[in-house]
Amino acid sequence: LAGDPNYYTKDYLIRFNTKAGSPKIKLTPEILSFDQVSPDSVAKKEFTVVNSGDAILEITKIEFAADKVFTLIDANKKEYKPGDLVLFEPPINVKQNESAKFTVRFEPKDPHKKQGTINVITNDPTPKAGELPILANAKVPCMQLEPSASVNFGGVKLGAPTPREIRIKNCGGADLVVDKIEFGDAGNSD
């Protein structure tokens, strides 16, 4: 090689194969959870669409399937009810390590559990990567009395104190607040 006059002037072809970058959606939080919200009250929660990939993430559509007490609100304050067509033309472009924020409003008419799903449709090739479950009023208190049947005092002399224990237990997932206890007439004529 040292004696070859073309050694220093020879062309070499080197091929590099590279992988194209791709967007990667990440939703925070992973579950949009509303604690107990009283009927006729309003609660709002934000969720963020983060691009953790290495190409622009394009949000083209959101599928919003939920109970009718939820409302989706985009960054421009436009509101959507479940089942509405939520298209973004042009798409919302989220650069690498940046995000887009959305809000969900919850306005329950009763204290019962409500739920739904938001599916953010993007150019992320990962299936179901944009699914966000919504859960509300799932952590509710539950009251359980022990004993569960009526309390029998048996034969008691008139005026003789006869205590019986009744326990109130919380069988739910949220704090149970007892703010009043009333004793009523059970229909006895005595």
Side-chain angles (χ1 to χ4, degrees):
L1 288 176
D4 184 356
N6 293 328
Y7 175 71
Y8 295 105
T9 60
K10 203 172 217 178
D11 292 331
Y12 292 95
L13 177 63
I14 300 172
R15 294 179 195 247
F16 294 96
N17 290 327
T18 61
K19 197 175 199 179
S22 65
K24 182 162 180 58
I25 188 172
K26 180 180 178 193
L27 299 174
T28 57
E30 293 179 359
I31 297 175
L32 198 61
S33 181
F34 293 85
D35 289 330
Q36 189 65 29
V37 178
S38 301
D40 299 318
S41 296
V42 177
K44 291 181 180 179
K45 295 271 185 171
E46 276 190 353
F47 71 93
T48 305
V49 179
V50 179
N51 181 6
S52 61
D54 50 13
I56 291 176
L57 179 73
E58 296 177 352
I59 303 172
T60 55
K61 177 179 173 182
I62 293 180
E63 296 171 348
F64 184 32
D67 288 294
K68 298 290 183 191
V69 293
F70 294 105
T71 304
L72 174 67
I73 305 167
D74 68 17
N76 297 319
K77 306 295 183 211
K78 186 168 182 186
E79 297 187 1
Y80 304 92
K81 294 305 280 178
D84 286 353
L85 185 62
V86 186
L87 289 176
F88 301 107
E89 294 176 359
I92 298 171
N93 289 325
V94 182
K95 294 179 183 174
Q96 180 182 4
N97 297 321
E98 292 188 4
S99 62
K101 290 188 184 283
F102 295 87
T103 302
V104 174
R105 184 175 62 224
F106 175 48
E107 299 176 84
K109 302 298 178 206
D110 58 53
H112 303 297
K113 177 181 172 181
K114 303 293 181 205
Q115 58 190 0
T117 303
I118 290 174
N119 192 10
V120 182
I121 307 298
T122 68
N123 58 334
D124 181 337
T126 310
K128 297 187 178 191
E131 283 190 7
L132 177 68
I134 307 168
L135 196 56
N137 286 358
K139 293 181 178 178
V140 295
C142 167
M143 187 169 75
Q144 180 180 359
L145 297 176
E146 290 180 359
S148 60
S150 61
V151 178
N152 184 355
F153 284 87
V156 177
K157 291 184 182 179
L158 189 58
T162 310
R164 295 290 186 263
E165 186 174 292
I166 300 173
R167 289 189 181 159
I168 300 172
K169 292 179 74 173
N170 182 2
C171 54
D175 291 342
L176 172 66
V177 177
V178 178
D179 57 11
K180 188 177 184 181
I181 295 177
E182 291 184 2
F183 294 95
D185 183 5
N188 292 339
S189 58
D190 295 294

